[in-house]
Amino acid sequence: MCGIFAVVNDMSGDASQTVLTGLKKLEYRGYDSWGIAIKPGKSTPGVSLQIEKHVGKIGAATTNLPKGDIAIGHTRWATHGGVTDDNAHPHLDCSGKIAVIHNGIVENYLDIKEELIQKNHKFISETDTEIIAHLIEEKSKTISLADAVFETFNQLVGSNAIVVLDLTTETIIACRDGSPLVVGIDEKNNQFFLGSDVPAFLKFTNKVHFLEDGEGVIVSKKEIKLVMMRSSHIYLPKKIRWQILDWKHEDAEKDGYPHFLLKEIMEQKNTIAKTISINEKEIKEISNLIGKGYKTTFIGCGTASYCALAGKYFFANVGVESQIYGAYEYLPFSKFVNEKSMVVAISQSGETADTLIAVKVAKKKGAKIVAIVNSRGSTLERLADIVLSVGAGPEIAVVSTKAFTAQLSTIYLLSKAISNEYEKGKNEIKNLSDSLTNWMNGKLTDQIITLAKELMNEEHIYLIGKHLNYPAALEFALKLKESSYLHAEPFAAGELKHGVITLIQKGTPCFVLASNDDIKGEILSSAAELSARGGKIIGVAPFESQEFDLNIKTPDLGELTIFVNIIVGQLLGYYLGVGRGADPDKPRNLAKSVTVK
Ligand code: F6R
């Protein structure tokens, strides 16, 4: 959940500036506070580490830290200890020579802290992280720093990644188990980078190695050494297998848009179409397995779980039964897994803790694991037997948009492959993409801004959808809630009469999501019922109706109409958020990748 960034041999000689800029690219991972530690000067013995830490967002921050070419930095999403300067990372040992930044939770930190207090270590923060600095200090009294770091790391219980800056050796040592960490190399300028995500250093290099669980790196001014941490005192050197990513520096920039969220919504004109030209081999492999009797269970969290639910409808439409679970509710049902189970895990980040836990359980029981994932080099990718990499590029806004539609498009293509209509599916997705190019224009934006102004001061909004438009309503509502903090509650249209209708009063805004399909009449009846109770009906559909007080007309795309209906929710959430003073890229209390249970 936190953002980590570090540089060694910073070519500008102003490593704290480089780290600050990199952290701004990672702020989507946590924005309660931020901090940087630098070793000032170039190889000047005796100087001490300098640290700057602040509560709040890093957006417009500047730093007065001295120059130097080796530094680490962190953006925090608080877990242990409130949002204070003291609790912000980096944390120091007693000597002030070892600085630590951390992503994860040290489950056994209280026991370790107790022991360290007995040994006279002084603690400044309430965090679990600070014990790591002191434990390394304690161990490094008798063993080398690298040994001390790896031995300390092996003692931590939980999913963690740490980066340690050592003043004495001018070295950064980092390791991971369960939380993401990637190392980058800019060979031309001899610069080394570490990040919890690639966008932090994409400006300098796209040559990376994603650390695996149990791997550590020792980054000195001379070289990067990769090791496998086996147990205390024993770590085995490993050859780094660098990979070149096809991501460009511009992918992690706003490109003239006021916010990443708007940029990423607009990018869907291209990202959805990209799914046509990738994954063909894997899609065919999966559809063959389903043909051989493998039973599909979709899992995911939040937006990804709504993608999973839409997938269940797509599968049903081609005659294949499947199950879906929010990954956090999967465990009681994992007892039904066997060698003919196929668990399809959907995730933008590939690092969501609940999803990974569910996948590990299913894998242990013999299920085939399919990952539908956007980020590269993720833990989920490594756990999976088959990876459908959806290729939407870096998604920086916390609110997921382009990754979701790329995942949904991939599942649609899979459903079409199952019914031997893969080529037809590809044409339909191409047609969807062309429609987006024509439809997502100034006229649509104006209409949505006008609607956002009308809804700006509402307290409650309700939404209904039926069949495929039910997951669409769930996703639409989530976009409104996340982006604008407005209470938006979605229901299956059929649920209305069973209680929900009590909530509707004169003027209550009710969105009705529909497609031009054979259940259109039923959803319009539900709209009429809402209208009869005074609800203000806003239709999001490819047709007009007298039941609608207002209508956002979407392109008529058959089953794929849900894509455009959802995009209305993405845009409306964005403009409502801007109007209501929320930060559309970094909604309060949320982090982009939820790496804790
Ligand atoms: C919503 C959103 C979250 C994520 C959820 C799962 O806009 O972004 O609901 O979808 O936290 O994250 P991933 O997809 O990374 O597993």
Side-chain angles (χ1 to χ4, degrees):
M1 324 263 290
C2 301
I4 283 177
F5 182 44
V7 60
V8 176
N9 293 339
D10 176 65
M11 69 181 201
S12 72
D14 203 352
S16 51
Q17 283 303 336
T18 304
V19 169
L20 186 69
T21 312
L23 286 180
K24 287 181 184 179
K25 296 264 173 294
L26 289 183
E27 203 189 0
Y28 59 88
R29 300 186 65 88
Y31 29 88
D32 292 333
S33 58
W34 62 274
I36 297 173
I38 185 163
K39 175 186 171 278
K42 266 200 167 186
S43 301
T44 325
V47 292
S48 52
L49 293 177
Q50 303 279 307
I51 291 212
E52 183 170 352
K53 315 205 263 193
H54 297 285
V55 160
K57 294 184 179 175
I58 198 170
T62 54
T63 172
N64 292 321
L65 283 168
K67 298 207 166 186
D69 64 358
I70 176 166
I72 62 175
H74 187 266
T75 57
R76 179 168 185 245
W77 190 85
T79 56
H80 290 62
V83 181
T84 64
D85 284 354
D86 279 344
N87 288 337
H89 303 204
H91 292 283
L92 290 172
D93 69 331
C94 297
S95 73
K97 290 180 177 166
I98 295 170
V100 174
I101 52 179
H102 165 222
N103 179 16
I105 291 180
V106 181
E107 291 169 16
N108 55 339
Y109 85 104
L110 283 174
D111 294 342
I112 298 175
K113 190 168 181 174
E114 193 101 322
E115 279 173 31
L116 289 164
I117 288 172
Q118 305 279 325
K119 291 180 178 157
N120 287 326
H121 286 266
K122 300 277 177 287
F123 287 85
I124 291 164
S125 77
E126 305 150 317
T127 64
D128 50 345
T129 307
E130 196 181 359
I131 63 111
I132 303 171
H134 292 275
L135 192 55
I136 295 169
E137 177 188 22
E138 189 59 36
K139 289 181 188 293
S140 64
K141 288 175 185 165
T142 50
I143 52 179
S144 77
L145 185 85
D147 279 334
V149 171
F150 297 139
E151 196 176 296
T152 294
F153 193 72
N154 281 329
Q155 208 174 315
L156 309 180
V157 175
S159 294
N160 295 293
I162 63 168
V163 175
V164 180
L165 168 61
D166 178 48
L167 175 77
T168 317
T169 55
E170 294 189 290
T171 309
I172 288 179
I173 300 175
C175 27
R176 73 156 272 174
D177 190 12
S179 283
L181 208 52
V182 53
V183 58
I185 183 165
D186 164 18
E187 278 155 325
K188 194 163 143 236
N189 301 301
N190 193 34
Q191 299 185 101
F192 307 128
F193 302 94
L194 270 157
S196 37
D197 221 341
V198 179
F201 56 73
L202 199 51
K203 186 172 155 194
F204 302 101
T205 184
N206 59 353
K207 187 167 178 175
V208 304
H209 169 72
F210 294 96
L211 266 71
E212 307 231 353
D213 280 346
E215 282 186 351
V217 280
I218 305 167
V219 191
S220 68
K221 295 199 162 186
K222 239 176 57 213
E223 60 184 350
I224 301 184
K225 277 195 224 156
L226 178 69
V227 299
M228 190 71 205
M229 299 174 291
R230 278 283 152 77
S231 59
S232 340
H233 290 260
I234 303 168
Y235 51 89
L236 306 171
K238 260 184 106 173
K239 191 171 160 38
I240 304 190
R241 289 187 196 287
W242 296 105
Q243 56 171 303
I244 310 282
L245 295 180
D246 58 358
W247 290 3
K248 295 186 297 299
H249 168 43
E250 305 80 79
D251 293 341
E253 299 296 323
K254 283 189 197 145
D255 200 17
Y257 285 95
H259 296 101
F260 282 110
L261 181 56
L262 187 58
K263 178 194 174 212
E264 288 161 9
I265 292 171
M266 292 302 173
E267 276 178 342
Q268 295 173 107
K269 293 173 190 172
N270 303 318
T271 48
I272 293 175
K274 211 174 152 195
T275 59
I276 300 171
S277 53
I278 50 181
N279 300 317
E280 180 160 349
K281 185 177 130 271
E282 292 78 6
I283 283 178
K284 294 209 162 135
E285 194 182 341
I286 298 164
S287 84
N288 280 340
L289 289 172
I290 291 170
K292 283 184 191 151
Y294 275 79
K295 297 274 175 246
T296 309
T297 300
F298 292 105
I299 59 165
C301 297
T303 283
S305 74
Y306 303 148
C307 188
L309 183 57
K312 183 175 167 135
Y313 284 95
F314 283 149
F315 269 41
N317 289 351
V318 296
V320 175
E321 194 185 5
S322 62
Q323 316 223 43
I324 74 132
Y325 297 103
Y328 35 77
E329 288 297 327
Y330 177 68
L331 289 191
F333 307 98
S334 62
K335 58 163 122 14
F336 304 116
V337 168
N338 59 41
E339 290 73 31
K340 278 278 177 154
S341 306
M342 183 162 69
V343 169
V344 179
I346 305 169
S347 176
Q348 188 292 126
S349 61
E351 299 294 348
T352 300
D354 289 320
T355 305
L356 295 179
I357 292 166
V359 161
K360 283 177 190 162
V361 170
K363 197 176 165 81
K364 223 177 186 170
K365 298 198 163 172
K368 217 14 123 220
I369 307 294
V370 174
I372 303 187
V373 65
N374 185 46
S375 262
R376 304 290 302 274
S378 67
T379 307
L380 180 57
E381 245 180 66
R382 281 193 289 268
L383 287 170
D385 300 295
I386 305 173
V387 177
L388 299 174
S389 181
V390 302
E395 192 178 67
I396 309 284
V398 167
V399 172
S400 186
T401 54
K402 63 173 181 170
F404 167 81
T405 47
Q407 289 161 339
L408 194 57
S409 171
T410 303
I411 297 176
Y412 183 71
L413 289 169
L414 174 58
S415 74
K416 289 289 155 185
I418 293 168
S419 59
N420 291 322
E421 295 173 305
Y422 185 51
E423 290 308 317
K424 182 169 173 243
K426 288 210 267 190
N427 287 333
E428 287 167 332
I429 295 291
K430 167 85 177 59
N431 181 38
L432 159 66
S433 177
D434 293 344
S435 304
L436 290 185
T437 309
N438 294 328
W439 172 70
M440 291 173 81
N441 55 23
K443 189 169 153 236
L444 175 70
T445 307
D446 288 348
Q447 204 185 1
I448 290 186
I449 291 175
T450 307
L451 180 59
K453 283 183 182 156
E454 263 183 54
L455 296 175
M456 199 89 80
N457 297 316
E458 292 294 341
E459 279 184 34
H460 309 286
I461 288 180
Y462 297 95
L463 302 96
I464 57 166
K466 192 173 176 69
H467 298 178
L468 265 170
N469 274 296
Y470 172 49
L474 296 174
E475 177 60 5
F476 192 121
L478 185 61
K479 296 306 99 168
L480 300 193
K481 286 183 270 200
E482 289 178 305
S483 310
S484 74
Y485 314 149
L486 224 158
H487 172 224
E489 205 162 342
F491 297 100
E495 188 60 30
L496 262 189
K497 294 193 279 285
H498 304 285
V500 180
I501 203 147
T502 55
L503 300 170
I504 309 305
Q505 303 176 62
K506 192 165 178 342
T508 306
C510 301
F511 279 83
V512 174
L513 271 58
S515 301
N516 208 355
D517 52 19
D518 54 4
I519 52 161
K520 177 176 153 184
E522 286 181 55
I523 189 88
L524 286 176
S525 300
S526 300
E529 287 158 11
L530 289 167
S531 188
R533 271 79 191 171
K536 178 177 174 172
I537 311 302
I538 306 157
V540 179
F543 54 84
E544 282 158 20
S545 162
Q546 60 178 27
E547 307 300 349
F548 300 157
D549 297 306
L550 263 173
N551 183 204
I552 306 277
K553 205 161 170 210
T554 50
D556 189 350
L557 298 164
E559 280 177 283
L560 300 184
T561 303
I562 62 160
F563 282 81
V564 280
N565 288 354
I566 288 167
I567 288 173
V568 172
Q570 297 173 347
L571 282 167
L572 183 61
Y574 172 74
Y575 286 110
L576 273 171
V578 171
R580 286 163 61 91
D583 180 342
D585 284 345
K586 299 182 269 294
R588 67 184 177 211
N589 308 336
L590 277 179
K592 180 81 185 149
S593 112
V594 186
T595 52
V596 292
K597 278 186 261 178

PDB file of all heavy atoms in Angstrom, residues 549-565:
ATOM      1  N   ASP A 549     -36.596  10.846 -16.987  1.00  0.00           N
ATOM      2  CA  ASP A 549     -36.662  12.311 -16.885  1.00  0.00           C
ATOM      3  C   ASP A 549     -35.476  12.923 -17.603  1.00  0.00           C
ATOM      4  O   ASP A 549     -35.538  14.040 -18.092  1.00  0.00           O
ATOM      5  CB  ASP A 549     -36.646  12.731 -15.414  1.00  0.00           C
ATOM      6  CG  ASP A 549     -37.863  12.206 -14.678  1.00  0.00           C
ATOM      7  OD1 ASP A 549     -38.976  12.479 -15.148  1.00  0.00           O
ATOM      8  OD2 ASP A 549     -37.704  11.497 -13.666  1.00  0.00           O
ATOM      9  N   LEU A 550     -34.395  12.200 -17.584  1.00  0.00           N
ATOM     10  CA  LEU A 550     -33.151  12.629 -18.233  1.00  0.00           C
ATOM     11  C   LEU A 550     -32.549  11.401 -18.900  1.00  0.00           C
ATOM     12  O   LEU A 550     -32.730  10.296 -18.415  1.00  0.00           O
ATOM     13  CB  LEU A 550     -32.156  13.074 -17.177  1.00  0.00           C
ATOM     14  CG  LEU A 550     -32.012  14.535 -16.842  1.00  0.00           C
ATOM     15  CD1 LEU A 550     -31.092  14.671 -15.654  1.00  0.00           C
ATOM     16  CD2 LEU A 550     -31.407  15.236 -18.053  1.00  0.00           C
ATOM     17  N   ASN A 551     -31.796  11.608 -19.938  1.00  0.00           N
ATOM     18  CA  ASN A 551     -31.254  10.437 -20.639  1.00  0.00           C
ATOM     19  C   ASN A 551     -29.828  10.701 -21.117  1.00  0.00           C
ATOM     20  O   ASN A 551     -29.584  11.679 -21.810  1.00  0.00           O
ATOM     21  CB  ASN A 551     -32.170  10.137 -21.831  1.00  0.00           C
ATOM     22  CG  ASN A 551     -31.777   8.893 -22.612  1.00  0.00           C
ATOM     23  OD1 ASN A 551     -32.113   8.777 -23.764  1.00  0.00           O
ATOM     24  ND2 ASN A 551     -31.081   7.971 -22.002  1.00  0.00           N
ATOM     25  N   ILE A 552     -28.887   9.836 -20.669  1.00  0.00           N
ATOM     26  CA  ILE A 552     -27.552   9.872 -21.268  1.00  0.00           C
ATOM     27  C   ILE A 552     -27.569   8.725 -22.275  1.00  0.00           C
ATOM     28  O   ILE A 552     -27.600   7.544 -21.881  1.00  0.00           O
ATOM     29  CB  ILE A 552     -26.443   9.630 -20.226  1.00  0.00           C
ATOM     30  CG1 ILE A 552     -26.531  10.583 -19.040  1.00  0.00           C
ATOM     31  CG2 ILE A 552     -25.061   9.669 -20.901  1.00  0.00           C
ATOM     32  CD1 ILE A 552     -25.925  11.933 -19.231  1.00  0.00           C
ATOM     33  N   LYS A 553     -27.578   9.088 -23.548  1.00  0.00           N
ATOM     34  CA  LYS A 553     -27.715   8.054 -24.580  1.00  0.00           C
ATOM     35  C   LYS A 553     -26.351   7.461 -24.906  1.00  0.00           C
ATOM     36  O   LYS A 553     -25.402   8.185 -25.204  1.00  0.00           O
ATOM     37  CB  LYS A 553     -28.356   8.654 -25.817  1.00  0.00           C
ATOM     38  CG  LYS A 553     -29.061   7.637 -26.630  1.00  0.00           C
ATOM     39  CD  LYS A 553     -30.072   8.241 -27.573  1.00  0.00           C
ATOM     40  CE  LYS A 553     -30.516   7.123 -28.498  1.00  0.00           C
ATOM     41  NZ  LYS A 553     -30.891   7.592 -29.791  1.00  0.00           N
ATOM     42  N   THR A 554     -26.285   6.147 -24.818  1.00  0.00           N
ATOM     43  CA  THR A 554     -25.028   5.448 -25.080  1.00  0.00           C
ATOM     44  C   THR A 554     -25.136   4.691 -26.418  1.00  0.00           C
ATOM     45  O   THR A 554     -26.254   4.405 -26.863  1.00  0.00           O
ATOM     46  CB  THR A 554     -24.719   4.454 -23.934  1.00  0.00           C
ATOM     47  OG1 THR A 554     -25.869   3.647 -23.696  1.00  0.00           O
ATOM     48  CG2 THR A 554     -24.332   5.184 -22.662  1.00  0.00           C
ATOM     49  N   PRO A 555     -24.008   4.355 -27.034  1.00  0.00           N
ATOM     50  CA  PRO A 555     -24.073   3.586 -28.284  1.00  0.00           C
ATOM     51  C   PRO A 555     -24.725   2.209 -28.064  1.00  0.00           C
ATOM     52  O   PRO A 555     -24.556   1.618 -27.001  1.00  0.00           O
ATOM     53  CB  PRO A 555     -22.603   3.431 -28.686  1.00  0.00           C
ATOM     54  CG  PRO A 555     -21.873   4.501 -27.962  1.00  0.00           C
ATOM     55  CD  PRO A 555     -22.628   4.739 -26.689  1.00  0.00           C
ATOM     56  N   ASP A 556     -25.421   1.741 -29.075  1.00  0.00           N
ATOM     57  CA  ASP A 556     -26.119   0.450 -28.976  1.00  0.00           C
ATOM     58  C   ASP A 556     -25.157  -0.662 -29.407  1.00  0.00           C
ATOM     59  O   ASP A 556     -24.875  -0.840 -30.587  1.00  0.00           O
ATOM     60  CB  ASP A 556     -27.339   0.479 -29.911  1.00  0.00           C
ATOM     61  CG  ASP A 556     -28.226  -0.730 -29.684  1.00  0.00           C
ATOM     62  OD1 ASP A 556     -27.799  -1.652 -28.952  1.00  0.00           O
ATOM     63  OD2 ASP A 556     -29.344  -0.749 -30.224  1.00  0.00           O
ATOM     64  N   LEU A 557     -24.636  -1.400 -28.452  1.00  0.00           N
ATOM     65  CA  LEU A 557     -23.561  -2.357 -28.753  1.00  0.00           C
ATOM     66  C   LEU A 557     -23.877  -3.755 -28.251  1.00  0.00           C
ATOM     67  O   LEU A 557     -22.968  -4.528 -27.911  1.00  0.00           O
ATOM     68  CB  LEU A 557     -22.255  -1.856 -28.114  1.00  0.00           C
ATOM     69  CG  LEU A 557     -21.737  -0.503 -28.614  1.00  0.00           C
ATOM     70  CD1 LEU A 557     -20.698   0.073 -27.676  1.00  0.00           C
ATOM     71  CD2 LEU A 557     -21.152  -0.649 -30.020  1.00  0.00           C
ATOM     72  N   GLY A 558     -25.165  -4.081 -28.172  1.00  0.00           N
ATOM     73  CA  GLY A 558     -25.538  -5.427 -27.703  1.00  0.00           C
ATOM     74  C   GLY A 558     -25.024  -5.660 -26.291  1.00  0.00           C
ATOM     75  O   GLY A 558     -25.099  -4.776 -25.432  1.00  0.00           O
ATOM     76  N   GLU A 559     -24.425  -6.850 -26.078  1.00  0.00           N
ATOM     77  CA  GLU A 559     -23.889  -7.169 -24.745  1.00  0.00           C
ATOM     78  C   GLU A 559     -22.851  -6.147 -24.302  1.00  0.00           C
ATOM     79  O   GLU A 559     -22.632  -5.922 -23.122  1.00  0.00           O
ATOM     80  CB  GLU A 559     -23.175  -8.531 -24.795  1.00  0.00           C
ATOM     81  CG  GLU A 559     -24.064  -9.739 -24.741  1.00  0.00           C
ATOM     82  CD  GLU A 559     -23.200 -10.989 -24.869  1.00  0.00           C
ATOM     83  OE1 GLU A 559     -22.765 -11.308 -25.997  1.00  0.00           O
ATOM     84  OE2 GLU A 559     -22.959 -11.624 -23.845  1.00  0.00           O
ATOM     85  N   LEU A 560     -22.141  -5.578 -25.286  1.00  0.00           N
ATOM     86  CA  LEU A 560     -21.034  -4.669 -24.951  1.00  0.00           C
ATOM     87  C   LEU A 560     -21.510  -3.273 -24.556  1.00  0.00           C
ATOM     88  O   LEU A 560     -20.702  -2.412 -24.222  1.00  0.00           O
ATOM     89  CB  LEU A 560     -20.053  -4.595 -26.121  1.00  0.00           C
ATOM     90  CG  LEU A 560     -19.420  -5.941 -26.512  1.00  0.00           C
ATOM     91  CD1 LEU A 560     -18.394  -5.744 -27.627  1.00  0.00           C
ATOM     92  CD2 LEU A 560     -18.737  -6.595 -25.317  1.00  0.00           C
ATOM     93  N   THR A 561     -22.834  -3.069 -24.568  1.00  0.00           N
ATOM     94  CA  THR A 561     -23.366  -1.776 -24.118  1.00  0.00           C
ATOM     95  C   THR A 561     -22.948  -1.490 -22.674  1.00  0.00           C
ATOM     96  O   THR A 561     -22.815  -0.338 -22.275  1.00  0.00           O
ATOM     97  CB  THR A 561     -24.909  -1.768 -24.240  1.00  0.00           C
ATOM     98  OG1 THR A 561     -25.245  -2.052 -25.595  1.00  0.00           O
ATOM     99  CG2 THR A 561     -25.506  -0.427 -23.843  1.00  0.00           C
ATOM    100  N   ILE A 562     -22.722  -2.542 -21.902  1.00  0.00           N
ATOM    101  CA  ILE A 562     -22.345  -2.276 -20.496  1.00  0.00           C
ATOM    102  C   ILE A 562     -21.038  -1.478 -20.413  1.00  0.00           C
ATOM    103  O   ILE A 562     -20.849  -0.722 -19.482  1.00  0.00           O
ATOM    104  CB  ILE A 562     -22.271  -3.547 -19.618  1.00  0.00           C
ATOM    105  CG1 ILE A 562     -21.215  -4.528 -20.094  1.00  0.00           C
ATOM    106  CG2 ILE A 562     -23.631  -4.180 -19.482  1.00  0.00           C
ATOM    107  CD1 ILE A 562     -20.805  -5.503 -19.000  1.00  0.00           C
ATOM    108  N   PHE A 563     -20.144  -1.659 -21.374  1.00  0.00           N
ATOM    109  CA  PHE A 563     -18.890  -0.878 -21.346  1.00  0.00           C
ATOM    110  C   PHE A 563     -19.202   0.619 -21.351  1.00  0.00           C
ATOM    111  O   PHE A 563     -18.665   1.390 -20.563  1.00  0.00           O
ATOM    112  CB  PHE A 563     -18.011  -1.200 -22.568  1.00  0.00           C
ATOM    113  CG  PHE A 563     -17.253  -2.486 -22.467  1.00  0.00           C
ATOM    114  CD1 PHE A 563     -17.862  -3.698 -22.749  1.00  0.00           C
ATOM    115  CD2 PHE A 563     -15.914  -2.488 -22.094  1.00  0.00           C
ATOM    116  CE1 PHE A 563     -17.164  -4.887 -22.672  1.00  0.00           C
ATOM    117  CE2 PHE A 563     -15.195  -3.671 -22.001  1.00  0.00           C
ATOM    118  CZ  PHE A 563     -15.822  -4.886 -22.290  1.00  0.00           C
ATOM    119  N   VAL A 564     -20.060   1.013 -22.288  1.00  0.00           N
ATOM    120  CA  VAL A 564     -20.325   2.448 -22.416  1.00  0.00           C
ATOM    121  C   VAL A 564     -21.183   2.953 -21.261  1.00  0.00           C
ATOM    122  O   VAL A 564     -21.013   4.083 -20.785  1.00  0.00           O
ATOM    123  CB  VAL A 564     -20.932   2.791 -23.805  1.00  0.00           C
ATOM    124  CG1 VAL A 564     -19.852   2.866 -24.832  1.00  0.00           C
ATOM    125  CG2 VAL A 564     -22.015   1.797 -24.228  1.00  0.00           C
ATOM    126  N   ASN A 565     -22.104   2.119 -20.789  1.00  0.00           N
ATOM    127  CA  ASN A 565     -22.901   2.527 -19.622  1.00  0.00           C
ATOM    128  C   ASN A 565     -21.978   2.788 -18.428  1.00  0.00           C
ATOM    129  O   ASN A 565     -22.158   3.745 -17.679  1.00  0.00           O
ATOM    130  CB  ASN A 565     -23.937   1.463 -19.279  1.00  0.00           C
ATOM    131  CG  ASN A 565     -25.078   1.422 -20.303  1.00  0.00           C
ATOM    132  OD1 ASN A 565     -25.130   2.269 -21.200  1.00  0.00           O
ATOM    133  ND2 ASN A 565     -25.984   0.471 -20.177  1.00  0.00           N
TER     134      ASN A 565
END
